[in-house]
Amino acid sequence: MELPTHLKEIRQQLLSDEISWSEALDSLKTARKKKPWQNKEWKLERARLIKDSCAQCGQSDVDSIMVLQHLWQPKKFKSVLSGIKGGCIAANAEAKKNYIAERKKKSVKLNNIVVGDRACCPKCESVSIKLVKSTQEWKCYGTKSRKTKSGYSRQITCGHSFKNPATTKEFTVEQKNEINKIKKKIWSDACAKFNVEPKEIAERYGKQVVLESFDDSERYYSLKDTATFCKKCAYLMDVKKLLLCPNCKDYLPVLHISSCVINSNDVMGFELLFDGFFS
């Protein structure tokens, strides 16, 4: 069975940019609300394809009503677009990360700040020290993380008092502020260059995804991915997400089926179900 004429026309209008992808999507959603199996052409094709027994359990049409069961379903627009968005965001994040690293590496200002000598605690080398006027001694307020016996981390203050500070190589407060300013500018430039809004991604890829939806609809209408099921097997597949395992002879989740029959010569075509049908 072919894709209905009005859907072919909508697809052609989208291809020629006579309508937007959102308008085409709305038309496609409206068309999917109409039950295709109520059409005369569908009924004739069903009569040609349907067998007199269930492809899973073998029950005959004498004992149960047979249905033409789809083993494959069209992908949802939102899930396809969501996958594209995720890929774009991940790619942009990697590109942004590389861009920032390269900018930092090539920054003349960032790489030419000379580390100076700073007064520090002779015990822990922290620069968080202060001269106590009453005693004319220096006191260290530096903290370090220590694990307790129970496994929790707590901040321990050094508290060491001393007459003469030691020296250590560390950036001054002014230098740290300058470094942060340069890094912030690089980060800001990277965000402007690589950050993409979800709406922008939708506009960029919407047409492509809708066209894929039309292709999926065409495949669905073709009835090529179908098998004859009894009502019980169809119900268990559609509602409970269970299939009759040809090896275990029991109704089990599709993940079990995929591992159980993956190497067998299965005539049912279970491989169609492993392509995200139950995701």
Side-chain angles (χ1 to χ4, degrees):
M1 178 175 171
E2 292 186 353
L3 195 68
T5 304
H6 71 283
L7 289 184
K8 288 182 179 180
E9 290 173 353
I10 294 169
R11 180 166 61 181
Q12 186 55 46
Q13 288 174 336
L14 178 60
L15 284 168
S16 58
D17 294 323
E18 295 176 39
I19 58 174
S20 67
W21 65 266
S22 56
E23 291 173 328
L25 180 62
D26 289 340
S27 298
L28 186 59
K29 286 179 178 178
T30 301
R32 282 181 175 173
K33 287 179 182 178
K34 298 177 182 178
K35 309 305 180 185
W37 49 86
Q38 294 176 347
N39 296 338
K40 181 180 178 181
E41 188 180 352
W42 184 289
K43 291 178 180 179
L44 290 172
E45 186 66 11
R46 175 191 179 279
R48 185 182 69 83
L49 293 172
I50 201 161
K51 310 298 182 185
D52 55 8
S53 62
C54 178
Q56 276 206 126
C57 67
Q59 192 172 34
S60 72
D61 58 1
V62 175
D63 302 313
S64 175
I65 296 173
M66 295 294 130
V67 299
L68 199 62
Q69 182 74 1
H70 274 276
L71 302 178
W72 176 90
Q73 294 287 329
K75 298 181 291 294
K76 293 182 179 179
F77 175 85
K78 284 186 178 180
S79 64
V80 176
L81 190 59
S82 178
I84 291 175
K85 286 179 181 178
C88 287
I89 291 170
N92 282 359
E94 185 65 23
K96 184 166 72 173
K97 178 183 173 182
N98 295 335
Y99 173 84
I100 290 171
E102 190 66 19
R103 280 282 299 272
K104 286 180 179 179
K105 183 180 178 181
K106 292 183 177 180
S107 174
V108 176
K109 287 185 179 181
L110 200 59
N111 295 309
N112 282 280
I113 298 176
V114 180
V115 182
D117 292 327
R118 292 189 67 184
C120 70
C121 172
K123 182 179 178 181
C124 69
E125 295 187 341
S126 171
V127 295
S128 298
I129 60 175
K130 185 178 181 180
L131 180 65
V132 181
K133 291 182 180 180
S134 60
T135 61
Q136 287 299 303
E137 286 190 343
W138 292 84
K139 187 173 181 180
C140 179
Y141 296 92
T143 59
K144 285 191 176 181
S145 181
R146 294 283 189 275
K147 279 196 173 182
T148 63
K149 289 181 180 180
S150 57
Y152 291 98
S153 294
R154 59 178 296 190
Q155 295 294 320
I156 306 296
T157 303
C158 175
H160 180 56
S161 296
F162 48 93
K163 288 287 184 180
N164 300 308
T167 57
T168 186
K169 292 289 184 181
E170 187 170 318
F171 291 118
T172 64
V173 174
E174 292 76 14
Q175 287 175 321
K176 287 181 179 180
N177 288 338
E178 180 63 20
I179 290 169
N180 287 336
K181 185 178 177 181
I182 295 169
K183 287 182 176 180
K184 187 177 180 180
K185 177 63 168 63
I186 293 173
W187 174 263
S188 178
D189 291 345
C191 288
K193 185 178 179 66
F194 293 101
N195 282 9
V196 180
E197 293 295 326
K199 286 185 179 179
E200 187 180 334
I201 296 173
E203 286 302 320
R204 188 186 303 173
Y205 294 98
K207 181 178 178 179
Q208 171 190 322
V209 178
V210 174
L211 287 172
E212 288 180 13
S213 295
F214 276 105
D215 290 342
D216 281 0
S217 293
E218 190 167 40
R219 177 176 171 179
Y220 185 81
Y221 272 89
S222 73
L223 300 179
K224 66 178 183 179
D225 305 310
T226 57
T228 301
F229 274 24
C230 65
K231 275 208 163 185
K232 175 185 175 180
C233 288
Y235 168 81
L236 289 173
M237 176 180 164
D238 292 338
V239 180
K240 302 294 185 180
K241 311 305 181 189
L242 300 175
L243 292 169
L244 181 62
C245 178
N247 295 333
C248 303
K249 307 302 180 186
D250 196 7
Y251 292 93
L252 297 165
V254 69
L255 291 178
H256 165 84
I257 308 295
S258 65
S259 61
C260 196
V261 304
I262 195 69
N263 295 317
S264 64
N265 294 322
D266 166 51
V267 296
M268 264 292 300
F270 282 120
E271 66 275 1
L272 293 169
L273 298 167
F274 306 152
D275 190 21
F277 182 78
F278 289 100
S279 60

